[in-house]
PDB file of all heavy atoms in Angstrom:
ATOM      1  N   VAL A   5     112.011  23.336  34.855  1.00  0.00           N
ATOM      2  CA  VAL A   5     113.189  23.879  34.183  1.00  0.00           C
ATOM      3  C   VAL A   5     113.106  25.403  34.079  1.00  0.00           C
ATOM      4  O   VAL A   5     114.131  26.089  34.128  1.00  0.00           O
ATOM      5  CB  VAL A   5     113.390  23.207  32.808  1.00  0.00           C
ATOM      6  CG1 VAL A   5     112.301  23.596  31.839  1.00  0.00           C
ATOM      7  CG2 VAL A   5     114.743  23.552  32.240  1.00  0.00           C
ATOM      8  N   ALA A   6     111.876  25.930  33.965  1.00  0.00           N
ATOM      9  CA  ALA A   6     111.729  27.389  33.864  1.00  0.00           C
ATOM     10  C   ALA A   6     112.222  28.061  35.137  1.00  0.00           C
ATOM     11  O   ALA A   6     112.994  29.027  35.093  1.00  0.00           O
ATOM     12  CB  ALA A   6     110.268  27.752  33.609  1.00  0.00           C
ATOM     13  N   ILE A   7     111.792  27.512  36.286  1.00  0.00           N
ATOM     14  CA  ILE A   7     112.221  28.085  37.566  1.00  0.00           C
ATOM     15  C   ILE A   7     113.740  27.967  37.711  1.00  0.00           C
ATOM     16  O   ILE A   7     114.425  28.923  38.081  1.00  0.00           O
ATOM     17  CB  ILE A   7     111.523  27.347  38.742  1.00  0.00           C
ATOM     18  CG1 ILE A   7     110.009  27.503  38.639  1.00  0.00           C
ATOM     19  CG2 ILE A   7     112.049  27.840  40.071  1.00  0.00           C
ATOM     20  CD1 ILE A   7     109.476  28.826  39.106  1.00  0.00           C
ATOM     21  N   LEU A   8     114.271  26.789  37.372  1.00  0.00           N
ATOM     22  CA  LEU A   8     115.713  26.576  37.535  1.00  0.00           C
ATOM     23  C   LEU A   8     116.514  27.540  36.656  1.00  0.00           C
ATOM     24  O   LEU A   8     117.498  28.126  37.097  1.00  0.00           O
ATOM     25  CB  LEU A   8     116.073  25.132  37.184  1.00  0.00           C
ATOM     26  CG  LEU A   8     115.657  24.087  38.208  1.00  0.00           C
ATOM     27  CD1 LEU A   8     115.886  22.688  37.666  1.00  0.00           C
ATOM     28  CD2 LEU A   8     116.432  24.276  39.505  1.00  0.00           C
ATOM     29  N   SER A   9     116.097  27.692  35.409  1.00  0.00           N
ATOM     30  CA  SER A   9     116.811  28.604  34.514  1.00  0.00           C
ATOM     31  C   SER A   9     116.757  30.028  35.036  1.00  0.00           C
ATOM     32  O   SER A   9     117.735  30.776  34.955  1.00  0.00           O
ATOM     33  CB  SER A   9     116.212  28.568  33.100  1.00  0.00           C
ATOM     34  OG  SER A   9     116.737  27.480  32.387  1.00  0.00           O
ATOM     35  N   ARG A  10     115.597  30.392  35.572  1.00  0.00           N
ATOM     36  CA  ARG A  10     115.478  31.755  36.092  1.00  0.00           C
ATOM     37  C   ARG A  10     116.333  31.956  37.329  1.00  0.00           C
ATOM     38  O   ARG A  10     116.968  33.009  37.487  1.00  0.00           O
ATOM     39  CB  ARG A  10     114.011  32.077  36.384  1.00  0.00           C
ATOM     40  CG  ARG A  10     113.215  32.302  35.119  1.00  0.00           C
ATOM     41  CD  ARG A  10     111.778  32.592  35.417  1.00  0.00           C
ATOM     42  NE  ARG A  10     111.633  33.792  36.230  1.00  0.00           N
ATOM     43  CZ  ARG A  10     110.483  34.151  36.795  1.00  0.00           C
ATOM     44  NH1 ARG A  10     109.406  33.387  36.643  1.00  0.00           N
ATOM     45  NH2 ARG A  10     110.406  35.239  37.499  1.00  0.00           N
ATOM     46  N   ILE A  11     116.358  30.938  38.204  1.00  0.00           N
ATOM     47  CA  ILE A  11     117.222  31.052  39.390  1.00  0.00           C
ATOM     48  C   ILE A  11     118.675  31.174  38.938  1.00  0.00           C
ATOM     49  O   ILE A  11     119.433  32.001  39.434  1.00  0.00           O
ATOM     50  CB  ILE A  11     117.056  29.838  40.325  1.00  0.00           C
ATOM     51  CG1 ILE A  11     115.646  29.825  40.911  1.00  0.00           C
ATOM     52  CG2 ILE A  11     118.090  29.856  41.436  1.00  0.00           C
ATOM     53  CD1 ILE A  11     115.348  28.607  41.757  1.00  0.00           C
ATOM     54  N   GLN A  12     119.046  30.356  37.955  1.00  0.00           N
ATOM     55  CA  GLN A  12     120.430  30.389  37.482  1.00  0.00           C
ATOM     56  C   GLN A  12     120.778  31.759  36.927  1.00  0.00           C
ATOM     57  O   GLN A  12     121.838  32.313  37.212  1.00  0.00           O
ATOM     58  CB  GLN A  12     120.651  29.313  36.421  1.00  0.00           C
ATOM     59  CG  GLN A  12     122.047  29.354  35.842  1.00  0.00           C
ATOM     60  CD  GLN A  12     122.354  28.142  34.993  1.00  0.00           C
ATOM     61  OE1 GLN A  12     122.173  27.008  35.409  1.00  0.00           O
ATOM     62  NE2 GLN A  12     122.813  28.377  33.783  1.00  0.00           N
ATOM     63  N   PHE A  13     119.869  32.311  36.111  1.00  0.00           N
ATOM     64  CA  PHE A  13     120.164  33.623  35.535  1.00  0.00           C
ATOM     65  C   PHE A  13     120.233  34.688  36.625  1.00  0.00           C
ATOM     66  O   PHE A  13     121.154  35.504  36.642  1.00  0.00           O
ATOM     67  CB  PHE A  13     119.140  34.002  34.462  1.00  0.00           C
ATOM     68  CG  PHE A  13     119.580  35.180  33.651  1.00  0.00           C
ATOM     69  CD1 PHE A  13     120.519  35.020  32.639  1.00  0.00           C
ATOM     70  CD2 PHE A  13     119.118  36.453  33.922  1.00  0.00           C
ATOM     71  CE1 PHE A  13     120.964  36.104  31.904  1.00  0.00           C
ATOM     72  CE2 PHE A  13     119.561  37.546  33.182  1.00  0.00           C
ATOM     73  CZ  PHE A  13     120.486  37.366  32.177  1.00  0.00           C
ATOM     74  N   ALA A  14     119.256  34.648  37.536  1.00  0.00           N
ATOM     75  CA  ALA A  14     119.252  35.631  38.619  1.00  0.00           C
ATOM     76  C   ALA A  14     120.538  35.535  39.433  1.00  0.00           C
ATOM     77  O   ALA A  14     121.154  36.548  39.781  1.00  0.00           O
ATOM     78  CB  ALA A  14     118.039  35.417  39.524  1.00  0.00           C
ATOM     79  N   PHE A  15     120.967  34.308  39.687  1.00  0.00           N
ATOM     80  CA  PHE A  15     122.172  34.116  40.493  1.00  0.00           C
ATOM     81  C   PHE A  15     123.413  34.614  39.759  1.00  0.00           C
ATOM     82  O   PHE A  15     124.222  35.363  40.313  1.00  0.00           O
ATOM     83  CB  PHE A  15     122.321  32.632  40.841  1.00  0.00           C
ATOM     84  CG  PHE A  15     123.527  32.333  41.673  1.00  0.00           C
ATOM     85  CD1 PHE A  15     123.571  32.706  43.000  1.00  0.00           C
ATOM     86  CD2 PHE A  15     124.632  31.697  41.124  1.00  0.00           C
ATOM     87  CE1 PHE A  15     124.683  32.450  43.776  1.00  0.00           C
ATOM     88  CE2 PHE A  15     125.753  31.440  41.884  1.00  0.00           C
ATOM     89  CZ  PHE A  15     125.781  31.815  43.207  1.00  0.00           C
ATOM     90  N   THR A  16     123.549  34.232  38.489  1.00  0.00           N
ATOM     91  CA  THR A  16     124.766  34.618  37.765  1.00  0.00           C
ATOM     92  C   THR A  16     124.803  36.122  37.509  1.00  0.00           C
ATOM     93  O   THR A  16     125.862  36.735  37.560  1.00  0.00           O
ATOM     94  CB  THR A  16     124.897  33.856  36.430  1.00  0.00           C
ATOM     95  OG1 THR A  16     123.660  33.926  35.719  1.00  0.00           O
ATOM     96  CG2 THR A  16     125.259  32.402  36.654  1.00  0.00           C
ATOM     97  N   VAL A  17     123.619  36.715  37.237  1.00  0.00           N
ATOM     98  CA  VAL A  17     123.627  38.151  36.954  1.00  0.00           C
ATOM     99  C   VAL A  17     123.853  38.945  38.245  1.00  0.00           C
ATOM    100  O   VAL A  17     124.538  39.969  38.242  1.00  0.00           O
ATOM    101  CB  VAL A  17     122.342  38.579  36.204  1.00  0.00           C
ATOM    102  CG1 VAL A  17     121.166  38.732  37.128  1.00  0.00           C
ATOM    103  CG2 VAL A  17     122.558  39.877  35.442  1.00  0.00           C
ATOM    104  N   SER A  18     123.324  38.458  39.367  1.00  0.00           N
ATOM    105  CA  SER A  18     123.558  39.148  40.647  1.00  0.00           C
ATOM    106  C   SER A  18     125.036  39.115  40.992  1.00  0.00           C
ATOM    107  O   SER A  18     125.606  40.102  41.461  1.00  0.00           O
ATOM    108  CB  SER A  18     122.786  38.469  41.782  1.00  0.00           C
ATOM    109  OG  SER A  18     121.420  38.532  41.546  1.00  0.00           O
ATOM    110  N   PHE A  19     125.654  37.960  40.772  1.00  0.00           N
ATOM    111  CA  PHE A  19     127.080  37.833  41.045  1.00  0.00           C
ATOM    112  C   PHE A  19     127.869  38.794  40.164  1.00  0.00           C
ATOM    113  O   PHE A  19     128.752  39.504  40.619  1.00  0.00           O
ATOM    114  CB  PHE A  19     127.514  36.389  40.795  1.00  0.00           C
ATOM    115  CG  PHE A  19     128.963  36.129  41.077  1.00  0.00           C
ATOM    116  CD1 PHE A  19     129.397  35.905  42.368  1.00  0.00           C
ATOM    117  CD2 PHE A  19     129.889  36.104  40.052  1.00  0.00           C
ATOM    118  CE1 PHE A  19     130.735  35.655  42.636  1.00  0.00           C
ATOM    119  CE2 PHE A  19     131.229  35.857  40.298  1.00  0.00           C
ATOM    120  CZ  PHE A  19     131.649  35.635  41.605  1.00  0.00           C
TER     121      PHE A  19
END
Side-chain angles (χ1 to χ4, degrees):
Chain A
V5 68
I7 299 281
L8 287 172
S9 277
R10 286 179 60 190
I11 294 175
Q12 177 169 309
F13 193 78
F15 180 72
T16 48
V17 79
S18 298
F19 181 81

